[in-house]
Amino acid sequence: MFEGRPDRGSEIAFVGRSNVGKSTLMREFTGHTFTTGKKPGVTRSPNHYDWAGADFTFTDLPGFGFMEGVEEGTREAIKTDIVQYIEEHSAEILVGVLVVDGKAVIDIIDRHSERGEVPHDVEMFHFLREVEIPTVVAVNKMDKVDDRDERLDALCDRLGLPGPWQQWRDVVAPISAKRGQIDPLREALETHLREQHRDDLLQFVR
């Protein structure tokens, strides 16, 4: 089980496959550079970023799914730790941000579905909602996608959200973290914080 979580009463947690840009996204929100790498699986334990005097932290959970050079047993152990962390802290997690690669996510989901498996991204989305954590899917790397609306509609379909995607702006946020284009995610987070009467935390997502 992960250790070292700051003693904070509220958090926003980022979760997703390896190499989808979670750490880059954390840098956009905090201005702090976290350990990243082209090789998937660099982050093996959570990165937390909190502020002195604020009862709040951002958490970047390790990547799950396939990681080149990482044994399947280790991958499964990491995923189990992620699930346990989310369950244990579900009362403190105000929003769960599931980060996906906008260019690859549909192919990955369909490939697993064709094998009769529940795709990790779909499983994590429904798990977050089952434990009653408001969930935003940050669809990253959208600067590399040409058929934007079609791709986002397809993702909503795979997640069980009836299209068109535009009616789910508090759930689906198309972004490009590397280019600093994350306003749709900021707006979705603001919506969820306001709904939970946590206007005191809006400063951290703006």
Side-chain angles (χ1 to χ4, degrees):
M1 185 62 188
F2 302 135
E3 297 176 355
R5 181 185 183 275
D7 183 18
R8 295 290 185 263
S10 302
E11 70 177 278
I12 291 176
F14 294 82
V15 63
R17 289 181 176 276
S18 298
N19 236 21
V20 293
K22 296 188 305 299
S23 299
T24 305
L25 200 46
M26 284 274 284
R27 187 178 66 223
E28 283 299 311
F29 280 104
T30 66
H32 182 77
T33 299
F34 296 86
T35 304
T36 61
K38 291 196 177 294
K39 186 176 178 183
V42 168
T43 308
R44 296 288 182 89
S45 57
N47 281 315
H48 300 282
Y49 191 88
D50 60 335
W51 289 261
D55 191 24
F56 173 72
T57 182
F58 278 117
T59 300
D60 173 19
L61 288 162
F64 57 75
F66 176 75
M67 300 171 226
E68 192 173 347
V70 179
E71 292 181 1
E72 185 176 353
T74 303
R75 297 199 302 263
E76 284 301 315
I78 291 170
K79 188 180 166 198
T80 298
D81 284 345
I82 292 167
V83 168
Q84 289 179 347
Y85 180 92
I86 291 169
E87 285 181 327
E88 184 176 334
H89 298 290
S90 60
E92 290 89 35
I93 300 174
L94 301 176
V95 190
V97 181
L98 173 61
V99 187
V100 301
D101 180 332
K103 191 171 182 184
V105 65
I106 302 300
D107 292 338
I108 292 171
I109 288 174
D110 288 351
R111 192 161 62 239
H112 284 272
S113 296
E114 285 163 9
R115 292 189 208 136
E117 303 167 358
V118 179
H120 290 320
D121 303 282
V122 176
E123 184 180 33
M124 188 60 70
F125 175 74
H126 290 294
F127 167 66
L128 287 164
R129 286 159 70 105
E130 278 166 19
V131 295
E132 299 184 344
I133 295 173
T135 305
V136 179
V137 182
V139 192
N140 196 19
K141 308 183 184 183
M142 287 303 286
D143 54 304
K144 299 178 180 178
V145 173
D146 295 325
D147 53 342
R148 173 189 171 94
D149 288 341
E150 292 88 342
R151 188 69 59 97
L152 294 169
D153 283 345
L155 178 58
C156 283
D157 176 67
R158 305 307 191 271
L159 296 174
L161 304 172
W165 78 268
Q166 286 91 341
Q167 66 181 312
W168 299 104
R169 290 185 186 273
D170 59 336
V171 180
V172 177
I175 62 170
S176 174
K178 209 171 214 178
R179 296 193 173 193
Q181 298 167 353
I182 64 168
D183 282 352
L185 177 56
R186 291 187 191 278
E187 289 161 14
L189 292 175
E190 281 193 30
T191 297
H192 289 294
L193 291 176
R194 286 185 193 282
E195 285 175 352
Q196 296 174 73
H197 308 292
R198 294 307 304 269
D199 292 36
D200 58 306
L201 299 178
L202 293 176
Q203 60 182 311
F204 299 115
V205 302
R206 285 176 170 161

